[in-house]
Amino acid sequence: MSEAQALTEALAALRAEARHALSGAESFSALEELRVSFLGRKGRLAEIMSRLPGLSSEEKRQAGQEANSLKEQLTAWHTLRLTELTRTQEAAWLADFDPTLPGRAPAVGGAHPLTQVSDEICQVFAGMGFDVVSGPEIETDYYNFEALNFPPEHPARDMQDTLYITEDVLLRTHTSPLQIRTLLSRRPPVGVVAPGRVYRRDSDLTHSPMFHQIEGMLVGEGVTMAHLRGTLTYFVRKIFGPDTRVRFRPSFFPFTEPSAEVDISCVMCGGKGHVDGETCRVCKSTGWVEILGCGMIDPNVLNAVDVDPQRYSGFAFGMGVERVTMLKYQVGDLRLFFENDVRFLSQFS
Ligand code: PHE
């Protein structure tokens, strides 16, 4: 037998064997092994083709064509079997798949309780027509103290209380600079609430060096303390419930005159001072808890921003968001708001 005949016979034998083997492959790995052994670089077809150089050029052309068509045929059988195996596998997966099973719920985040309460408070005031504004946390002495009628030697200006960046630049210790900023950019009548972070050199069980306040201010003609009282009573009842009572206690702030601190009937004992015969731990049996400071804006403040105190008057108030949130949800420990333990936070979403 000539070498050319031997090659043709080898190709025919490979064709017969491969057709049977490829169409019967039972797994992806078995099929892959067959592909390598038939079509691989050191496989059977490559071995046959390596013998082509020994032929005459006419025989070489003839045998080369046969080898190439076999290669195409083997590839086609391999692809066909691969498709069949894939379909079978998908069918098996689908047989196991129960589309009626409940899905896995993704963990969903939520707004921080302080953000929720701050938003809620702002919405109560927005409902009364107040605009929501904000200002910088890094302030100058002028906006934080001087324009608010703090005398140069006032103790709040002390390094003990205030975080200074330079002699004149500081982290705001309250949101009251928004009174000044608002009145410099808008003329009365104007009513705003201003939520934001404030900073003080204070850190213990009940004080955090950063906490949140909401400032409120209304300036116009004929604004009186009665408006202040009505506004705050409405707000308190919206946040703490319709039966909550409100009381004003005389107090002092450099930027308001007269000034008051506002107490509400205790959220824990309802003002009775005791729960089940025990002293109420929230109000220490007084029946009242303090929630904010307020007052009528001092004429010196209005003069500082060129608003005529003969014509205009106004009230202002400032409250701590942490404090309101602790009272509203009866949270006993301030640190819970800053540790961000999901077991705590998730109770609010
Ligand atoms: N800024 C005061 C504080 O931080 C609160 C306050 C605001 C009091 C507005 C009166 C009027 O304690």
Side-chain angles (χ1 to χ4, degrees), residues 43 80 124:
L80 181 66
V124 170

Side-chain angles (χ1 to χ4, degrees), residues 83-209:
T83 312
E84 287 169 359
L85 286 175
T86 306
R87 291 228 179 91
T88 311
Q89 187 182 62
E90 281 172 358
W93 280 340
L94 282 176
D96 281 347
F97 171 66
D98 180 353
T100 66
L101 283 176
R104 243 173 261 159
V108 179
H112 191 280
L114 294 176
T115 308
Q116 288 183 37
V117 170
S118 178
D119 288 351
E120 199 185 327
I121 294 170
C122 288
Q123 265 164 36
V124 170
F125 286 103
M128 289 187 266
F130 287 77
D131 290 329
V132 181
V133 299
S134 62
E137 291 170 30
I138 298 172
E139 267 296 5
T140 59
D141 179 274
Y142 179 76
Y143 290 105
N144 197 82
F145 292 128
E146 192 182 328
L148 287 165
N149 198 36
F150 280 81
E153 300 303 323
H154 192 280
R157 289 184 156 179
D158 199 319
M159 296 279 288
Q160 294 292 321
D161 303 307
T162 303
L163 289 150
Y164 281 93
I165 293 165
T166 68
E167 206 179 284
D168 199 46
V169 180
L170 45 82
L171 297 180
R172 66 180 178 191
T173 59
H174 52 180
T175 43
S176 298
L178 266 304
Q179 294 182 31
I180 305 303
R181 289 186 173 275
T182 302
L183 289 173
L184 285 177
S185 62
R186 301 171 58 167
R187 298 276 90 186
V190 52
V192 294
V193 281
R197 296 189 180 93
V198 301
Y199 301 84
R200 289 183 196 173
R201 285 183 67 131
D202 233 350
S203 189
D204 57 37
L205 287 188
T206 53
H207 294 91
S208 154

Side-chain angles (χ1 to χ4, degrees), residues 173-176 194-196 198 200 211-215 319-321:
T173 59
H174 52 180
T175 43
S176 298
V198 301
R200 289 183 196 173
F211 60 104
H212 300 77
Q213 281 191 337
I214 296 178
E215 192 79 7
M319 71 184 93
V321 178

Side-chain angles (χ1 to χ4, degrees), residues 320-331:
V321 178
E322 281 78 0
R323 182 155 180 81
V324 172
T325 308
M326 287 173 84
L327 289 171
K328 187 170 160 71
Y329 292 107
Q330 275 152 48
V331 176

